[in-house]
Amino acid sequence: MGRISWNQYFMAQSYLLKSRSTCERLAVGAVVVRDKRMIAGGYNGSVTGGVHCIDEGCYVVGGHCVRTIHAEMNALLQCSKFGVATDGAEIYVTHFPCIHCTKAIIQAGIKAVYYSEDYKNDPYAIELLQQAGVRTKKVLLQVDPVHYEQQQLVSELLEELESQGHSGLDGWKKKADRLFHVPTEQKS
Ligand SMILES: [Zn+2]
Ligand SMILES: [Zn+2]
């Protein structure tokens, strides 16, 4: 049984954080990573102590909800709040960052942006990222943590049966692989 890749590991975290979002328009999660360690995370929500979009409805101006601080900004501001350097770090976001977050990401010295879902990918943001030499990579989330544990359990059961001398398990293995869509991306 292979371990999940670093990309899947960090992207799965950003999806977990996204589930704390308080905005009804779009839920986003972000994780800042340095040397393969998560140093901060955020989701889009109101300023501390403010009312939530989920309670009061979004505060929309010019087609955007202006109440929330975006996930990427929350993650970077967490670093500034606690004095953690972001220079040379990477960021994992569930959605392609908006132009404002993109500028903050570049200015914070982030060197790579991994995103899972396209979201109105701003051409100017793409241009700025390229100019700044920030790598961008689309990483589709293939691992759901619970799903992964189920996959592990089935795999262990099959290995146990095999070690006890049961034969003819190939059909079951194939069925398990089909059910869990086993990703082959490992060891990155
Ligand atoms: Zn909102
Ligand atoms: Zn943003």
Side-chain angles (χ1 to χ4, degrees):
M1 171 57 62
R3 300 160 75 197
I4 65 170
S5 69
W6 286 114
N7 276 349
Q8 290 297 313
Y9 176 73
F10 294 125
M11 192 55 83
Q13 302 286 338
S14 75
Y15 274 86
L16 182 63
L17 268 66
K18 160 182 138 83
S19 60
R20 283 285 303 171
S21 170
T22 56
C23 185
E24 289 177 318
R25 292 170 74 84
L26 182 71
V28 180
V31 177
V32 179
V33 174
R34 205 168 91 194
D35 297 332
K36 302 271 186 281
R37 277 131 181 119
M38 285 171 277
I39 58 170
Y43 53 85
N44 57 324
S46 311
V47 293
T48 307
V51 297
H52 297 312
C53 298
I54 45 171
D55 298 327
E56 308 264 321
C58 283
Y59 184 14
V60 180
V61 177
H64 300 281
C65 175
V66 297
R67 177 175 287 124
T68 56
I69 303 174
H70 290 184
E72 304 92 316
M73 291 301 293
N74 265 326
L76 294 174
L77 289 168
Q78 194 183 338
C79 292
S80 77
K81 188 168 184 175
F82 297 123
V84 181
T86 49
D87 197 21
E90 302 178 315
I91 195 165
Y92 285 77
V93 282
T94 55
H95 295 72
F96 194 88
C98 72
I99 183 62
H100 308 293
C101 289
T102 296
K103 288 188 284 185
I105 285 167
I106 294 169
Q107 202 69 352
I110 301 285
K111 68 171 198 279
V113 175
Y114 300 93
Y115 67 100
S116 188
E117 299 176 42
D118 292 301
Y119 184 67
K120 303 176 187 170
N121 303 16
D122 190 307
Y124 184 47
I126 295 168
E127 187 187 324
L128 287 179
L129 288 164
Q130 282 170 352
Q131 265 175 23
V134 176
R135 273 187 302 126
T136 55
K137 189 176 186 221
K138 188 168 184 169
V139 173
L140 294 175
L141 184 68
Q142 294 168 306
V143 175
D144 150 346
V146 175
H147 189 265
Y148 185 68
E149 283 186 13
Q150 292 166 341
Q151 181 193 334
Q152 289 271 46
L153 180 72
V154 169
S155 169
E156 279 169 28
L157 277 171
L158 286 169
E159 276 169 26
E160 179 66 26
L161 285 171
E162 200 158 43
S163 74
Q164 288 178 8
H166 287 267
S167 57
L169 296 171
D170 286 355
W172 289 104
K173 285 183 186 168
K174 276 192 192 129
K175 273 189 195 173
D177 284 351
R178 262 202 309 277
L179 178 64
F180 296 116
H181 309 289
V182 177
T184 48
E185 175 207 6
Q186 308 286 356
K187 302 192 195 73
S188 68

